[in-house]
Amino acid sequence: MSLQHIAIVMDGNGRWATKRFLPRLAGHRQGMESLRRCVRACLDRGVAVLTVFAFSSENWSRPPEEVSGLMDLLLNALGKEMAQLQADQVRLHFVGERAGLSDKVRSGLDEAQAATASNARLRLNVCFNYGGRWDIAQAAARLAAEGQPITERTLNEATALAHVPDPDLIIRTGGELRLSNFLLWQAAYAELYFSPRLWPDFDEAELDRALAAYASRERRYGHTSEQVAAVGRHPQAA
């Protein structure tokens, strides 16, 4: 079964650190290692789009030192990873509300996005200060401001992820069984896979388990199995 786009809720960094009597930021640093592995694995497996939930609009309620540390971790990671991203032809796209971010963070995101704009092997969407409800609301507000009708098509085209196809597979690590305001519009027909692994422990083998589970499913989009079988693929791919 064809798979273009994987989205991941990278959950469990704080719990990983707490289990080891480490500060929560140590878990986030280890989570960056897992993201590096995941990007490499997606490149090796021919995935076209990877979208990750890095910082939600609700995460501002966390302790200030953790929020500040996450911002610094992001900027440091961009500096360290840029050469490898360029070598691997990974195109970065940051998705989320920029207004709440500092000038330094906004500049860092803009510069990294511009520097990788011509890369074409993997599109890496990093959802930062993002929420699914925010995405739908901003899309509707944009259409209203432009005097456009609000339909499924126009709303879809105004969302923050309109530049990529909807995710085929959404993975959530950490054992929780919810989307937590992630890609609410885009998740309409995504297959869901919930991994018990905390994100810092997520590796290629666990990704392959998720891919195997995805491959075993039938995506019908409201059609019957017979209709899917008749065209040899799911009807929306026809």
Side-chain angles (χ1 to χ4, degrees), residues 99-157:
L101 305 178
S102 69
D103 290 342
K104 184 178 179 181
V105 171
R106 283 200 300 271
S107 295
L109 302 188
D110 290 341
E111 289 170 10
Q113 195 165 283
T116 61
S118 62
N119 295 342
R121 189 174 171 198
L122 174 70
R123 176 70 69 96
L124 176 57
N125 298 305
V126 180
C127 293
F128 200 83
N129 197 23
Y130 172 88
R133 291 180 175 179
W134 163 84
D135 193 6
I136 296 168
Q138 69 82 29
R142 177 177 153 192
L143 293 173
E146 295 173 356
Q148 296 188 49
I150 298 176
T151 66
E152 283 194 30
R153 181 187 62 79
T154 60
L155 194 63
N156 187 63
E157 292 172 352

Side-chain angles (χ1 to χ4, degrees), residues 158-174:
T159 62
L161 279 156
H163 58 282
V164 293
D166 288 346
D168 300 296
L169 172 66
I170 296 178
I171 300 169
R172 180 174 183 142
T173 64

Side-chain angles (χ1 to χ4, degrees), residues 13 22 45 133 144 147 153 173 185 196 208 219:
N13 292 337
L22 297 170
R45 288 154 181 77
R133 291 180 175 179
R153 181 187 62 79
T173 64
W185 177 268
D208 285 338
R219 305 183 76 192

Side-chain angles (χ1 to χ4, degrees), residues 183-199:
L183 304 186
L184 298 182
W185 177 268
Q186 297 84 357
Y189 281 101
E191 295 295 321
L192 306 180
Y193 181 86
F194 297 99
S195 169
R197 295 280 189 94
L198 300 176
W199 175 246

